Structure formats: structure tokens, C-alpha cells
Amino acid sequence: MKKACIFFLALLFILGIAALPSHAQKILKIGVLGPMTGPASLWGLAMHNCVEMWAEEVNAQGGLQVKTEKYKIETVTEDTKYDAARAVAGAEKLVNRDKVKFIIGTNGTHEALAVLPITTPAKVILCTFCFDRSAIGAQYPYSFRSIPTAYEFYTPMYKWLNQKYPDKKRLVLVVKNYAGGLVVRDQAKEATEKGGYKIVGVETYQPATTDFYPIMTKILAHKPEVMDFTAASGGDTGLLLKAAKQLGYKGITLQGTQGDPGTVISTAGKENAEGHYFMGGGSDEAVASQAMGAFIKEYTKRYGSWNEVASQDYYIPRLVGLAIQKAGTIDNTDAIAKVLEATEMKSPLVKGNPTVKFAGKNYYGRNSQVIMPLALVQVIQGQPKTVAVLEAKHLD
Amino acid sequence: MLSRIKIVVILLLLAFLLLLPLFERDPYILHVLIEIAMVSLPAMGLWLILLTGQLSFGQVAFVAIGAYTSCILVMQVGMNSWLALPLSGLMAGLCGVAVGYPALRIKGTYFAILTLSMGEAVSMILLNWTGLTGGADGIFRIPRPNDLTLGSWTLVHFTADKVAYYYYILALLIFCLLVMYRLYRSHVGSVLRAINQSDNLALSIGVNITRYKVFAFSIGCLFAGLAGAFYTHYFTMLHPDNFTLWDSIYYVVYIIVGGANYIFGPVLGVFLMLGTFEILRAVKKFQAVSYALILIVVILFLPGGLMNLRKILFPSRQPAKEGEGEDVGNSDDKRRDS
Amino acid sequence: MEPVLFAQAVANSIMLGLIYTLIALGITLIFSIMKIVNFAHGQIYMLGAFAIFYFYAQWHINYIISLVLAAACIAVLGAALEYFLFRRLRGQELPCLLLSLGLALLLEGLALIIFGEKDMGVPPPFPGAVNVLGVHFGMDRLLIICLSLILLLALFIFIQKFKAGRAIRALAQDPEAATLQGVDINRMSWFGFSIGCMLAGLSGGLLVPVYWVSPFIGGPAVVKAFIVMVLGGLGSIPGTVLGGLILGSIESFGQQFLPGTWAMAIAYILVVLMILIRPRGLMGKE
């Protein structure tokens, strides 16, 4: 009797899920897939919030104009918790239940590579944020990368650094032992040697490390002049800086990825963070336009606090919207993908309105890598200040 | 033996599950069901381990062992994935024996901490032994299971389409359930139940306790290994981060929620928790909190798990007879503390 | 290798060791008295850290006073948890363990909703570093060392000299005998659990200036606490110190000499061996 009850409950349950209503007309669904909770949520939430803000902007004008129709943008979000299995479940849901044709998301390489076998045969355009080279290659014709990787950033950065400090050549790479960390390490290796630096050590640390004295002691034994924290997270970077300075390091510190400068500075302490270089979004007054100020204000109002990552995530939903409009269709993703590769826009957020577009055919196989202005930021008197705006260059 | 009603219900359920892909084509639903079945296997293994009176918090390590074994056998040795499957299970089972012999002498909480640490040790080793596992890079583009052929006829071909996988995992699930049932009903099962009641009693009968415990333990690990092998060729990628302590902990949760006293307990627990989890997607931010609250409520108010719900809803019923509901007496209250 | 590097590694070991001891004190205490493994220990530690973040970094209350306030708040929380939740399952090892697990999930989920997902730092109350013969000590770490030692001493005196402390010790050694002697199990369990949580919260608060705070710092913290507890021994304060120092040394020297991140693997393997060979730990009492 009890078994029968359970059996019928199960039946109801399954049928219940299956019977969810389908969507109405004139709506354009955009999927968002990424870590919304958990330690990686810093990146997932920035991406989600940018898409949401764009959708609101567009809908406030009646919708996205494609040919003669206006489409209301509806975002559907799935939380991956930075886990590949959850990413797969989320992608399945977005592609097969919600029937989206565009997914902005996947932040980790493991997420992206797990999801691509689902999105590619379904011809769903995936705008990933992972750094893996193959994820946007010719074998995945519907996938694009929404942000520049360390690869795009390191070459101009090391060139600039070398010009400023020509006598400092000994470099140590500090690597966080996770997929994204290893990718950035490899990208850094390529760029540093080309930039004229000598790698005297590569030290790896475990993701759950809370105390960096031991590893910093080991790093300092190499007597470095430049310390590159590659893809270390904000909190880790802060602690690495603190350990370095407390153990007597007086050289240059930098990293080729974006993080949250607020976290870095507050965790390291103002004195310890002084002089640290990293990739920024260009949100300080030196390079930011008025529109950037307005964007920051709006973002802070809606979500409670500013997330520097958002200044880069700003562009991708807009680029996708432009491509849809230019292609004149909301579901012929073959056409849209082709158009997207050639789509570009002027950045309203940075002074001088530099161009944001897709490139990378020689290195990646397609023009699927977004190129945008990269701000080289340095901590000066406890504040992040843009010291240079670099052009993304490929090691073609 | 089972009552006639029970047999009918089970057959109906089986028919329903076998025919499901014919009318339910949504890959998302299939994926959820596959995930439920896949996660049930290590949970069922844990149920067998619980028969020894101990609770392991390192079960995920054996899933990982099965997963990486299958991956290596198929990708580096070039073995057929169907041969790799039992070998992966066997590997996990043998590791279970290796761990079980020394570990099962330890009681209660210490055993829990021991298995927890062992699981974490395996996790660290996987992360650092880059030659074997690729470390933090992970292993990608793992081949799907080989086609099942009869002569030149291809019976089953595995693609991104979920249906073939569905039947594969269903077969594994049924197989393991049968093993659980036979084991429980067998001589081994009776001995284990006796041990559970009292070690001294079993000793006085002259039973080599350890051998029986290790046997049950290693079969439990074998189930986990099978799940791991399935996992590898389903997700076609492997990363040490996919096998964490939380997974081990969740297997325990599923058994408790479903009811540690019943053979179907683990499956039910997984079905309810994962199903609830998927439904709770709608709640987004509050998903984790809701999940935790459900767990706490179950632990505080439903100590026998959800399969004991009828005892609470229909308190006037006669106490369960031997065999009815397959009450295996795994209840926590009866278990001896350290 | 250079003697200075070796000395630094030793110094690191001691600093790390005392930090881990601090974190593990609370969980050891609760396990000794109530035989409960409190998986939520890490999350309570995290709440203590957030308490300091708000009292000290946001509301600019004096650091020491913030610590006292945080300790008080967490102690109250601990008392409430024991009274409303754990008491119902008293004596049942497994359900208590699972309850603490559920609690851990709940607290982390709530913290994420309330505090947000970002890692946040706290300005150090005593900035700078000291250099002694080439070996460096951060001032904030020296502060931790001093405060930990004071705390350890206070705890030790409490357990030895004060009636409540002795009652707790009696409960830990033999609950039945203790009851016969007139120890009120209810009140003492409640009190002991509360103190254990307070220690967890206090350690979180002390460590915030050295590390950072986010809803996720609980997980790694409780795992380290376990290792210390198992290695050093249950029910023994000197044992906890020893366990902490061992773990600190493994991490410090392990990072120094081993490639990659094998240090933690070794720590876990040691735990496994310890439980197999000597379950009560190096200095534990049975």
C-alpha cells in the first residue's frame, strides 16, 4: 500500500514537472548560466546583473527591435554553483525546457567544456567567460568568449612593465591550483618570456589555503624582483601581498586577471597593497566617461555594491543584441553567429569610446574572442588608479 | 517472501520506468532521472556499509576511484567501456577491502572521522597526481560508452541523446537493488544483522566478524565504483573537484531522509532530495537555506526517515511484521555507540 | 638550505600551529562533553568573524571590546542552539552529527543571503611586521599568539579551578559518575556547548584581521579543526596545542619542501594513521 502511494506520488511528480506551461509570443529569452551562489558567485552575479540591466534598458524602450517586431527580453537564470554537473543540468533545462537560443554564461573551464556538447548540437549561442583556448575554437561554431583572457592582457602589460622597469627581470609565477589558474599560468609563461622576463620560479598553492606564510617563504627563496599572482582571487591576492610585505619583499607585484580591488586592498591593508598592478575595468575617473559613472551608480543602487567585474561584462549582452538585430532573426543562430563575429560597438564607458569587437581568427580559429579596452590599474595611496589603457594584442 | 501486492506494485513501477522514455522526451527530465539513479548507487552502497553498523563519510572517494579507473582503462589501455565497467567496480571494491580490514575495527565517530579523512586524502592525491589525473586541468573529451553490437547490428549507440544512458543506468540500478536484496536475505545478511545487535553475541557464536564486515563494506564500495564508471562516460569529463566531501555527506543525508531501514530508502531519499532541489531552483537565493531547513526538520521530527512517515500518519497500524516493508533494523537507536 | 629560511619555516609553524589550536579548542570541548561532532563549528567561527567585521570594521568599536561583544553574541547563539535543537537528540550520536551538518548548511546559506558573497577584509588593529635576525613576524600574528596563549591559560585555569569548569571536566570523563556527584547534565551541557561555540566565534574574530571573511570560510576551518582534534587528542587542552603545532608544521614545512600541494594530503594520511593506531590521539584521555 505504501509502495503504491509512493509510486503514484512519483508519477504525479514527474508528470508535474513535464506539464509546466510553455512561453508566450514576442518574447526573446536569454539564458544566464553561472555560479550565482558559492565562492565563485562574484563572477556569476556580475554577469547576471549586467544581462538583467541590459534587458531592462531594452524593455524600457518597448523591447528589442528586430526587423518590424519588438521583442521583450526575458532572462532565465540557472545557478551552476561552479560545478560541472550542475552546469549540465542547468544547460539541459535552458536548452530543452526553456528553449533559449542564447546563453550568457559558464565561468569555469570545466563548466564550459561540460556544457558545449549540449549547446553545440542544439545550435545555441554560448557566450562563455572561461579562459580555455579550445572552448571558442572552430569545433564549437556557436561559442564566443565574452571577456578578454590573460592571454589578451599579458602581452601588452608585460611590454609596458618592461619599459617602465627595465632592470627588473627575475619573475616568479604564483599559481592557484584550479583549472582557471593553470590556464592563466600557461598564458603568463608565453607572455613573460616574450616580454623579456626570466621565470625563476613557479609556485602552486591549494585553493583552500588560508595561510600564505609558508608558500611566500618558498617564493622569496627564489629572490624575485617581480611577483605575478596570475589568477589568484581577491582574498588570496590580498593575503599574498600581506605575506610578501610582512616577510620583507620590496619588489613589484602584479596579476594579469581582474579581481575585486576593494577586497584586495582591504584584505592586504593599504600599505601592503601599495603599488600592486592588475587588470581593471576602467571605472576610475582617469579613464571613465560620464556614462560609466551613471552605470556604476545604477548598478550599486540595484545590487547593493559595485562589482568591478561588471565593467567588462557590460558589453556581451549588447553585442549579442546588436547581432540579432543585424541578422534580422531571433532563432537562426547560424546567421547570428556569423554576424556576431563581425559585430562591433563603441564603448560608452571609457573616454575616447574605443571599439569593442570580436577577433582572434589566427589564434583561436574564429573571430570569437571579444576585444575591449584593458585598463592597467595600480594601487596608489590605497586607491585603484588606472595608469594605462592597453590594447589587447594577440600572439599571432 | 514478498506479498503479492508488493510484487504487482514493483512490476508496475518497473514497467513505468522502462516505458518512460517513450512518452517523456525532454532531455532535461531524463537528465534529472539519470542523475537520481546515478547518485543512488553510492547511497545504496552506503546502506550496505551501514549494515556493518558503521557510517562512512568517504564514499565519494570510491566513486572517484571507479571513475578514474574506467577513464584510464578506456583512454590509455584502449579497453572496451563495457569491460572497463566491472573492472572499475572491482577496483573500487578491492580498495574497499584494503581500507576496510584495518578501519572496521574502529567504532562510531572515530570511524566517521577516519573515512572522512581518507576521502579527503584521496581528493588531495587526485588533485596533485597530475600524471594520472591531469590534476586541476581535468580530463576532457572522454569517449562515450562503446556501441553494443550483435554481429554487424548496432543495438545501442550512445550519443548526447539521453535515452541510451537512461536504460544503462536503470540496468545498473536494478542490478544493485537485486544484489542488496539477495545480500540482505542471505546468510551474510543475517550474520551482519546479528553483529549489528551485538558484537559480543556474534563473537560468542564463533563468527569471524571482520570478514563479514569487510565483505559488506567492499560491496558498498563496488557500487560506488560502478557509479563512477557511469559518471565518466556520461559527462565525458573528469575533474577532482567533482568528488568532494560534501558529496559523501549528501549520501548519508539521502539514506537518513529516505529511511535507513528500507532497501528502497536510499533511492527514495535521493529522489526526494534531488527532486526537491530541482524544484527549488525557482526559489534561487533561498535554495540552499530551504534545503538545509528540510534536512533539519527531517532529522528532528522524522528520525526513521520518510519511509517511516506512515507510522506517524497512521499510528494505529500494527507493528511491522518481519519482511513487511523490509525493515532491516538499521535504525540508529539500536546501533551501539562507540 | 639556508638557516634563515629554516628559522622562518619554524616560526611559521608556531604561528600557524597556535592559530589552528585556537580554531580547534571549541570543537574539542564540545566533543569531550557531549560526544557531538559539531560540523557547524566552521560556520559559527565564520559568524564570529562577521561579528568583528561589523563591530570593528563597520561601526568602529574598539577591537578588544568588539571581541568581547562578539564572544557574548556567539555564546548566546550557542546556548540557543543547544537548548532548542541539540537537546532533543541528546545521546544519539548520529542524528546529532547530521543535525550539525544541516545547521552548517543553513548557517552558510543564511550568511550568503545576509552578508553577500564577496570576500571582505578588515584593517589590522596593529599593522606592520617585526624582523628578528632575518625572521619575520607580522604584528597581527604576534597579537594572535599573545591572545591565544592568554586564552589557553584562562581556559586551563577555568577547567582546573572553577566549579563549573570542573563540572565540565567531570562530565567529559564520566557522565554517570558526574550525575551521581550532583552535576546537572542539562545545565552543564548547555553551558559547555555555549562555551564551545563562543570559542569558535572568538577564534573567528581574532583571525579576521589576519585572513578575511566571507560566508565560505567555515568549511576549510572545520576540517582543520578536525585534524587538530584527532592528532592531538580529545579532551586535552595540551593535546589540542600539540595537534595544532603538528598541523602547522606539516603545512609550513610541507609547502617549503614538497612540490605542489602535497602537504595537505600528508596531513590527512597522518590523521588516518593516527585513528588506526591510536584513536584517542597523542595526548587524549579515554
Side-chain angles (χ1 to χ4, degrees):
Chain A
M1 185 52 213
K2 167 202 67 194
K3 287 268 174 50
C5 287
I6 292 175
F7 160 55
F8 282 117
L9 270 173
L11 187 60
L12 270 164
F13 190 99
I14 292 176
L15 289 178
I17 307 177
L20 287 174
S22 61
H23 46 272
Q25 287 281 62
K26 304 238 192 87
I27 287 191
L28 177 58
K29 281 197 191 176
I30 307 275
V32 178
L33 181 68
M36 302 298 152
T37 55
S41 53
L42 181 79
W43 294 295
L45 287 171
M47 163 188 88
H48 164 267
N49 298 344
C50 283
V51 175
E52 219 178 49
M53 280 177 75
W54 166 72
E56 274 222 1
E57 239 179 69
V58 168
N59 291 341
Q61 298 176 352
L64 188 72
Q65 177 96 33
V66 183
K67 285 222 170 122
T68 53
E69 295 277 8
K70 277 202 168 190
Y71 292 87
K72 179 163 171 278
I73 311 267
E74 197 182 284
T75 52
V76 188
T77 309
E78 292 300 330
D79 184 3
T80 63
K81 296 192 188 327
Y82 209 60
D83 174 65
R86 301 234 181 279
V88 167
E92 289 284 0
K93 184 168 169 298
L94 286 172
V95 171
N96 293 307
R97 304 228 91 213
D98 304 302
K99 306 263 192 285
V100 302
K101 286 295 195 185
F102 309 91
I103 297 181
I104 313 267
T106 65
N107 293 68
T109 302
H110 59 296
E111 290 181 328
L113 291 180
V115 157
L116 280 165
I118 301 172
T119 57
T120 311
K123 299 194 178 183
V124 168
I125 290 188
L126 178 72
C127 298
T128 182
F129 293 73
C130 83
F131 278 13
D132 184 73
R133 179 176 177 180
S134 69
I136 57 171
Q139 71 204 119
Y140 300 118
Y142 304 94
S143 117
F144 295 81
R145 179 145 40 233
S146 326
I147 50 170
T149 70
Y151 181 77
E152 275 72 46
F153 184 63
Y154 267 125
T155 325
M157 183 186 78
Y158 274 109
K159 234 190 228 131
W160 186 94
L161 211 64
N162 204 11
Q163 281 172 351
K164 183 148 190 209
Y165 308 99
D167 53 329
K168 303 240 193 277
K169 295 268 183 250
R170 297 172 62 87
L171 180 88
V172 166
L173 292 177
V174 184
V175 183
K176 184 171 177 174
N177 195 19
Y178 75 113
L182 299 183
V183 169
V184 174
R185 173 199 63 191
D186 296 332
Q187 294 173 340
K189 268 191 188 162
E190 283 192 67
T192 51
E193 271 145 23
K194 287 205 160 85
Y197 285 94
K198 180 161 174 274
I199 298 181
V200 296
V202 180
E203 298 300 339
T204 313
Y205 71 91
Q206 198 77 302
T209 306
T210 43
D211 205 289
F212 290 89
Y213 263 53
I215 188 156
M216 188 50 67
T217 308
K218 194 173 180 191
I219 291 169
L220 290 175
H222 295 292
K223 302 210 196 305
E225 293 163 324
V226 181
M227 228 185 260
D228 184 350
F229 298 135
T230 60
S233 59
D236 288 357
T237 305
L239 291 181
L240 280 164
L241 281 169
K242 189 166 14 173
K245 298 296 168 74
Q246 283 182 342
L247 289 172
Y249 179 66
K250 303 244 184 299
I252 301 171
T253 64
L254 59 95
Q255 65 187 130
T257 52
Q258 212 185 38
D260 189 22
T263 303
V264 172
I265 296 171
S266 70
T267 314
K270 288 207 179 111
E271 312 77 36
N272 297 328
E274 191 70 17
H276 178 67
Y277 290 98
F278 56 95
M279 174 161 73
S283 65
D284 60 308
E285 313 83 53
V287 290
S289 66
Q290 286 223 338
M292 173 70 99
F295 179 58
I296 296 178
K297 234 165 109 187
E298 180 66 30
Y299 188 99
T300 314
K301 197 170 92 172
R302 286 181 68 125
Y303 303 111
S305 61
W306 170 242
N307 186 342
E308 190 70 18
V309 179
S311 57
Q312 285 195 340
D313 295 356
Y314 174 88
Y315 301 102
I316 190 66
R318 292 170 169 77
L319 286 166
V320 170
L322 278 171
I324 293 175
Q325 288 180 312
K326 253 207 313 213
T329 160
I330 66 160
D331 40 26
N332 182 350
T333 47
D334 290 288
I336 299 176
K338 274 213 180 56
V339 172
L340 190 54
E341 289 188 27
T343 303
E344 55 179 69
M345 62 182 277
K346 293 249 181 252
S347 164
L349 304 179
V350 180
K351 280 194 186 132
N353 304 111
T355 310
V356 176
K357 61 178 193 181
F358 286 95
K361 190 159 179 133
N362 285 345
Y363 186 68
Y364 293 106
R366 299 164 40 229
N367 285 332
S368 47
Q369 167 69 52
V370 81
I371 308 289
M372 61 175 71
L374 299 165
L376 177 62
V377 183
Q378 191 183 22
V379 179
I380 298 177
Q381 294 190 333
Q383 292 294 326
K385 292 260 177 288
T386 304
V387 294
V389 177
L390 305 170
E391 259 190 71
K393 275 289 201 297
H394 284 110
L395 304 173
D396 294 332
Chain B
M1 257 323 286
L2 295 172
S3 69
R4 212 175 295 164
I5 303 177
K6 266 206 214 343
I7 296 182
V8 170
V9 170
I10 290 180
L11 282 177
L12 269 176
L13 193 61
L14 197 62
F16 173 69
L17 288 173
L18 282 171
L19 297 174
L20 185 88
L22 292 179
F23 55 85
E24 178 56 77
R25 305 238 107 215
D26 186 343
Y28 169 65
I29 301 277
L30 287 177
H31 171 77
V32 173
L33 291 174
I34 291 172
E35 218 190 326
I36 289 174
M38 185 175 67
V39 171
S40 297
L41 290 177
M44 284 155 53
L46 197 57
W47 186 92
L48 281 176
I49 295 175
L50 199 56
L51 276 183
T52 69
Q54 307 277 39
L55 198 56
S56 163
F57 279 90
Q59 185 71 326
V60 83
F62 297 100
V63 179
I65 289 174
Y68 279 97
T69 304
S70 183
C71 175
I72 292 168
L73 286 175
V74 169
M75 285 183 87
Q76 296 188 9
V77 178
M79 192 181 288
N80 183 301
S81 66
W82 299 106
L83 182 56
L85 175 69
L87 286 180
S88 305
L90 209 63
M91 180 65 168
L94 286 172
C95 291
V97 172
V99 169
Y101 252 113
L104 283 162
R105 298 180 288 117
I106 314 286
K107 297 273 187 297
T109 312
Y110 293 104
F111 184 80
I113 300 181
L114 173 71
T115 48
L116 189 153
S117 312
M118 177 213 67
E120 285 292 271
V122 170
S123 188
M124 293 286 128
I125 292 172
L126 285 175
L127 196 58
N128 283 294
W129 195 349
T130 44
L132 195 71
T133 65
D137 272 327
I139 304 177
F140 295 99
R141 292 178 260 277
I142 299 174
R144 300 185 183 280
N146 294 78
D147 295 344
L148 283 172
T149 56
L150 195 63
S152 55
W153 288 85
T154 304
L155 291 174
V156 186
H157 175 62
F158 285 88
T159 61
D161 180 32
K162 307 268 182 269
V163 179
Y165 283 108
Y166 174 83
Y167 285 114
Y168 175 8
I169 194 68
L170 192 61
L172 275 181
L173 188 68
I174 294 173
F175 171 73
C176 290
L177 277 171
L178 285 172
V179 170
M180 273 168 88
Y181 185 70
R182 292 299 306 157
L183 202 65
Y184 170 70
R185 288 261 164 211
S186 74
H187 170 62
V188 176
S190 329
V191 172
L192 284 169
R193 264 174 292 158
I195 295 174
N196 220 353
Q197 299 283 29
S198 166
D199 265 9
N200 291 331
L201 180 64
L203 266 174
S204 68
I205 300 179
V207 162
N208 183 343
I209 301 178
T210 316
R211 204 183 298 168
Y212 283 90
K213 281 192 181 180
V214 172
F215 182 66
F217 186 81
S218 62
I219 300 289
C221 297
L222 190 142
F223 283 5
L226 291 175
F230 177 85
Y231 180 102
T232 306
H233 301 289
Y234 178 60
F235 283 102
T236 67
M237 54 162 278
L238 271 185
H239 194 282
D241 281 349
N242 294 338
F243 306 103
T244 66
L245 175 60
W246 278 111
D247 293 308
S248 290
I249 292 174
Y250 275 121
Y251 299 142
V252 175
V253 168
Y254 299 140
I255 295 187
I256 300 303
V257 168
N261 293 348
Y262 305 96
I263 289 184
F264 279 100
V267 185
L268 182 66
V270 175
F271 178 74
L272 285 165
M273 294 298 273
L274 278 186
T276 311
F277 190 72
E278 290 294 317
I279 293 179
L280 284 178
R281 272 180 191 274
V283 196
K284 286 182 212 193
K285 272 208 295 185
F286 298 94
Q287 196 183 33
V289 175
S290 323
Y291 204 64
L293 278 171
I294 293 174
L295 182 61
I296 292 179
V297 164
V298 170
I299 293 170
L300 282 179
F301 299 111
L302 292 172
L306 276 143
M307 285 197 86
N308 256 340
L309 207 52
R310 62 153 179 172
K311 286 203 184 124
I312 297 171
L313 292 175
F314 309 106
S316 59
R317 257 181 99 93
Q318 295 292 344
K321 296 197 286 271
E322 165 65 42
E324 182 173 358
E326 286 123 76
D327 189 321
V328 305
N330 257 356
S331 163
D332 310 322
D333 329 87
K334 289 197 218 149
R335 220 163 44 82
R336 267 185 57 225
D337 286 344
S338 46
Chain C
M1 83 144 163
E2 287 181 40
V4 175
L5 277 178
F6 184 77
Q8 184 71 57
V10 171
N12 290 345
S13 306
I14 297 176
M15 286 189 274
L16 260 182
L18 281 172
I19 288 174
Y20 290 142
T21 305
L22 199 61
I23 299 176
L25 277 174
I27 205 176
T28 306
L29 190 70
I30 291 179
F31 186 72
S32 306
I33 307 172
M34 304 163 79
K35 300 288 180 280
I36 297 176
V37 176
N38 185 10
F39 265 108
H41 179 87
Q43 276 65 34
I44 296 179
Y45 159 90
M46 174 262 295
L47 288 174
F50 268 111
I52 290 294
F53 177 75
Y54 281 100
F55 294 149
Y56 172 61
Q58 301 285 81
W59 300 335
H60 304 293
I61 303 175
N62 173 279
Y63 184 60
I64 302 291
I65 298 182
S66 298
L67 280 174
V68 173
L69 280 174
C73 291
I74 303 292
V76 168
L77 175 67
L81 286 174
E82 202 280 336
Y83 190 77
F84 290 110
L85 295 177
F86 286 95
R87 185 166 293 201
R88 296 165 150 273
L89 299 174
R90 175 147 340 129
Q92 298 177 53
E93 230 176 86
L94 183 60
C96 277
L97 195 142
L98 293 166
L99 177 65
S100 70
L101 265 174
L103 207 55
L105 276 170
L106 182 68
L107 290 174
E108 196 168 286
L110 282 173
L112 183 60
I113 295 175
I114 301 176
F115 302 124
E117 75 285 356
K118 293 215 289 207
D119 298 338
M120 297 189 277
V122 160
F126 299 96
V130 193
N131 185 336
V132 177
L133 298 172
V135 176
H136 294 84
F137 297 81
M139 281 302 288
D140 46 6
R141 281 160 196 259
L142 281 180
L143 176 74
I144 302 282
I145 294 178
C146 295
L147 286 174
S148 320
L149 290 172
I150 294 175
L151 195 65
L152 280 167
L153 197 62
L155 203 62
F156 197 69
I157 295 177
F158 176 70
I159 298 250
Q160 300 283 48
K161 302 280 182 223
F162 283 72
K163 191 161 154 214
R166 293 216 298 271
I168 290 179
R169 232 175 73 206
L171 253 179
Q173 286 185 338
D174 191 340
E176 281 181 27
T179 327
L180 286 172
Q181 294 274 357
V183 172
D184 181 348
I185 282 203
N186 272 338
R187 263 182 63 198
M188 282 301 126
S189 298
W190 171 87
F191 185 60
F193 194 84
S194 173
I195 299 268
C197 289
M198 184 202 80
L199 286 169
L202 202 58
S203 62
L206 279 170
L207 288 169
V208 156
V210 180
Y211 299 145
W212 76 80
V213 62
S214 85
F216 312 109
I217 58 175
V222 77
V223 171
K224 300 262 162 93
F226 269 151
I227 297 178
V228 170
M229 184 170 81
V230 168
L231 289 179
L234 283 54
S236 160
I237 293 181
T240 309
V241 176
L242 184 62
L245 285 173
I246 294 177
L247 182 60
S249 308
I250 293 175
E251 266 194 39
S252 174
F253 284 95
Q255 277 284 2
Q256 201 73 11
F257 294 109
L258 294 173
T261 46
W262 284 101
M264 279 315 287
I266 293 184
Y268 285 116
I269 294 174
L270 259 171
V271 170
V272 171
L273 290 173
M274 180 63 77
I275 297 188
L276 287 177
I277 300 171
R278 197 182 158 107
R280 68 178 193 268
L282 286 173
M283 293 183 70
K285 307 173 179 120
E286 194 39 53

